[in-house]
Amino acid sequence: MKALLLENPHTDVDPYLVSAGLSVTRYPGALQGEDLIEALQGVTVLGVRSKTQVSADVIRRCPDLRCIGAFCIGTNQIDLAAASNRGIAVFNAPFSNTRSVVELAIAEIIALLRRLSERNRAMHAGRWEKTASGSHEVRGRTLGIVGYGNIGSQLSVLAEALGMHVVFYDKVEKLALGNARRAKSLDELLAVSDIVTLHVDGVSSNRSLFGAEEFAKMKPGAIFLNLSRGFVVDPTALRENIVEGRIAGAGVDVFPNEPNTNDEEFISELRGLPNVILTPHIGGSTVEAQHSIGQFVGTKIARYIMDGTTDLSVNLPRLILEPSQDTRYRLTYVHRNTPGVLALLNQALAEHGVNICGQILGTVAEIGYVITDIASEIPESVIEGITQLPDCIRLRIIDRQGITLDARAGRAF
Ligand code: NAI
C-alpha cells in the first residue's frame, strides 16, 4: 500500500504510516487536477494541507484511494460528500494548534495593553518614550470571549491564571471553566469587557458578525482581537473605531482577503494604524503545532488502515471497536444509510455459517458504517454476496496482521 504526502506535513507522520504497512512518497508542493490524478494511481492514502484541491472528479478517478489526511484544521479543499460516497475516510486535526492560537492571543492582549508595538517602533526610530500613560496590567481586566469552543475555552483558562475576569458568549450551551461567567447575549458581553476577542467558527452565518453596531457597544478604550476568520469582522468599521480612538488597540491575524503566497503584497485598510498588531494568519503556525498535527492525523490514518477505526473522522460515522480474542477477520463496510442494511449483512454472514464476535454500526446523514469482527473463515461467496448488496459502497476485510483486502460495490476481490 502506498501513501502520497503533498505540501510537506511534518516528518513525524512517516513512521505512523510505515507502521500501518504503507510506503511513503513525498512531494513538496501541492498537485492539482490531472497531475494529482496521475500521481494518485495505485495510492491508498493521500496527505494534503490546505492547497491541494481534492475534487469529486479527482476522487472518482482515483479508485485505489481509501483515506485522505488533511494535515491542517480546515477541510474545505476536499469534496467530503464525494469522499463519503466512495467510502473514503477523511481525517483532520481540529485542535492540534489550539494552544498556539491561545498563546498568541495572550501575547497580543498583554502587548496591546502595554502599547508594546508603539514603544518598540519608537525605540527603533531612536525615541525614548518612557511613560505609563495608556499602559495597563491585564490582572483584574475583563476578557470577553466570543465563541467558547476549543480555542475560546483554553484561552479562558490561561487568562484566569493571569488574574483576568472571563465572561464568554457562545450561541450554544457550554460548560463555563473555572470562574468564567456566561453572558446571556453578545450585547451583555460587549458592555462589560475591557478586551473582546473573537473565536467563532467559520460558518457562513458568521459573515460580518462584528461591524459598526458591535464596536459601538464596546466599552470606550477597549481592546479588540480577531484570530478566527477574516470575514467575521468589517475592517472599515474597525479602522474607523481605531482612528476615532474609541477602540484603544487591536490584534488581527485573519483578513477577508489574504495573499495566497508570501510574494503577494498584503493590502488592507488596517495597515499603518497605531496600536494595531497585524499578523499573517500565524495563530496556529508554530513548530509545536505542526508536530502535533502530524502526530494526530498520522495516528488516525494508521488506525483506520490497520483496524478500520474512524475516531474523529470528518465524514464517516465515528466508530471504535476493540477486537475480541476470537476475532480472526474484521469486516469494515461503508454503505448508503437505508433501513435494513445491517440485517441483510448479518443474514448473508449467517447463511454461510460465519460467526460474528463483535459488531458496531454508526450512520451520518446518507452514509452508514459497520465494523464486524468474525471468528471464523470467510468463504469467498459471502464476500461476493455482500459487495452485491444494493447499498454497498465499500467493503474491506482486514486479517489479524492488519493486512487488508479491498472491495468496492459490485466488484469482489
Ligand atoms: P470551535 O468550533 O471549537 O469553536 C467555535 C465556537 O464558536 C463554538 O463553540 C460555536 O458554538 C461558537 N460560535 C459560532 N458562531 C457563534 C456566534 N455567532 N456567536 C457565538 N458563538 C458562536 O473552533 P475553534 O477550534 O475554537 O476555532 C475557532 C476559530 O479559530 C475558527 O474560526 C478557526 O478557523 C480559527 N482558527 C484560527 C487559526 C489562526 O491561525 N488564526 C488557527 C486555528 C483556528
Side-chain angles (χ1 to χ4, degrees):
M1 288 186 293
K2 292 182 189 160
L4 175 66
L5 300 182
L6 305 176
E7 305 179 59
N8 269 336
H10 198 283
T11 49
D12 275 2
V13 178
D14 300 40
Y16 291 105
L17 304 189
V18 170
S19 73
L22 292 149
S23 67
V24 180
T25 307
R26 282 174 166 264
Y27 179 84
L31 284 176
Q32 311 292 357
E34 296 301 322
D35 293 339
L36 179 60
I37 292 167
E38 194 182 320
L40 281 177
Q41 298 312 305
V43 167
T44 305
V45 170
L46 169 66
V48 298
R49 285 167 81 177
S50 56
K51 294 208 167 58
T52 302
Q53 297 301 311
V54 191
S55 64
D57 185 45
V58 169
I59 286 167
R60 187 175 54 80
R61 291 168 61 194
C62 299
D64 301 305
L65 202 55
R66 206 181 289 151
C67 179
I68 302 171
F71 289 90
C72 50
I73 313 303
T75 50
N76 293 345
Q77 73 282 32
I78 300 164
D79 190 320
L80 294 176
S84 303
N85 286 325
R86 288 261 153 181
I88 296 170
V90 180
F91 297 95
N92 68 339
F95 39 73
S96 295
N97 62 7
T98 298
R99 174 68 188 221
S100 301
V101 181
V102 169
E103 288 192 13
L104 183 65
I106 292 282
E108 291 192 340
I109 290 166
I110 296 174
L112 290 164
L113 283 171
R114 298 297 291 272
R115 306 191 80 89
L116 288 189
S117 61
E118 288 175 4
R119 301 286 178 269
N120 179 54
R121 198 176 313 123
M123 288 292 276
H124 281 284
R127 294 196 309 277
W128 184 263
E129 291 179 354
K130 183 173 166 63
T131 171
S133 167
S135 290
H136 301 278
E137 290 184 353
V138 296
R139 181 172 47 169
R141 302 255 135 193
T142 299
L143 174 64
I145 301 174
V146 184
Y148 205 66
N150 293 327
I151 294 172
S153 55
Q154 276 276 315
L155 177 59
S156 169
V157 173
L158 264 69
E160 282 201 338
L162 288 169
M164 302 181 84
H165 304 297
V166 174
V167 54
F168 70 88
Y169 170 67
D170 199 292
K171 64 181 180 182
V172 302
E173 201 67 48
K174 293 279 172 166
L175 172 69
L177 300 180
N179 302 312
R181 187 175 67 76
R182 183 192 170 96
K184 289 190 192 66
S185 64
L186 181 59
D187 285 2
E188 184 190 324
L189 177 145
L190 298 178
V192 298
S193 300
D194 300 306
I195 302 116
V196 172
T197 184
L198 304 187
H199 300 287
V200 297
D201 55 54
V203 288
S204 55
S205 56
N206 280 339
R207 186 168 293 282
S208 304
L209 174 73
F210 219 92
E213 226 175 278
E214 287 69 31
F215 284 115
K217 288 174 183 164
M218 283 172 65
K219 282 169 81 171
I223 297 285
F224 176 79
L225 255 64
N226 182 20
L227 289 83
S228 62
R229 294 292 179 105
F231 64 72
V232 169
V233 177
D234 174 1
T236 309
L238 175 56
R239 182 187 167 80
E240 282 166 7
N241 276 275
I242 294 277
V243 170
E244 287 162 12
R246 273 192 42 77
I247 300 296
V252 187
D253 187 47
V254 287
F255 305 87
N257 298 307
E258 297 180 1
N260 287 318
T261 68
N262 285 356
D263 298 329
E264 273 176 49
E265 186 185 351
F266 165 63
I267 296 169
S268 167
E269 53 205 300
L270 300 177
R271 276 170 48 176
L273 295 179
N275 209 27
V276 173
I277 299 175
L278 302 179
T279 44
H281 204 146
I282 49 156
S285 303
T286 61
V287 172
E288 289 75 13
Q290 290 310 313
H291 170 85
S292 165
I293 289 169
Q295 213 170 38
F296 189 93
V297 180
T299 311
K300 299 289 169 218
I301 294 172
R303 281 293 304 271
Y304 180 66
I305 293 297
M306 286 193 293
D307 67 11
T309 296
T310 45
D311 181 29
L312 293 181
S313 169
V314 182
N315 63 326
L316 293 188
R318 298 169 172 187
L319 302 186
I320 304 173
L321 179 66
E322 289 307 323
S324 78
Q325 277 182 337
D326 294 336
T327 302
R328 292 180 67 176
Y329 294 98
R330 169 162 286 191
L331 237 125
T332 69
Y333 189 59
V334 183
H335 60 87
R336 274 172 281 282
N337 182 15
T338 49
V341 171
L342 190 61
L344 286 174
L345 174 70
N346 288 348
Q347 190 185 339
L349 293 169
E351 276 170 3
H352 290 80
V354 174
N355 190 22
I356 295 173
C357 55
Q359 191 168 54
I360 186 169
L361 161 79
T363 60
V364 175
E366 284 106 46
I367 298 296
Y369 183 50
V370 191
I371 300 178
T372 306
D373 281 354
I374 307 288
S376 56
E377 286 299 320
I378 311 173
E380 191 90 347
S381 51
V382 185
I383 297 163
E384 216 169 304
I386 294 170
T387 57
Q388 298 296 337
L389 291 174
D391 292 304
C392 173
I393 293 177
R394 194 160 201 155
L395 170 71
R396 254 200 322 145
I397 298 178
I398 307 166
D399 72 11
R400 276 203 80 94
Q401 278 76 44
I403 311 260
T404 293
L405 303 162
D406 200 6
R408 278 179 298 282
R411 201 198 82 184
F413 306 107

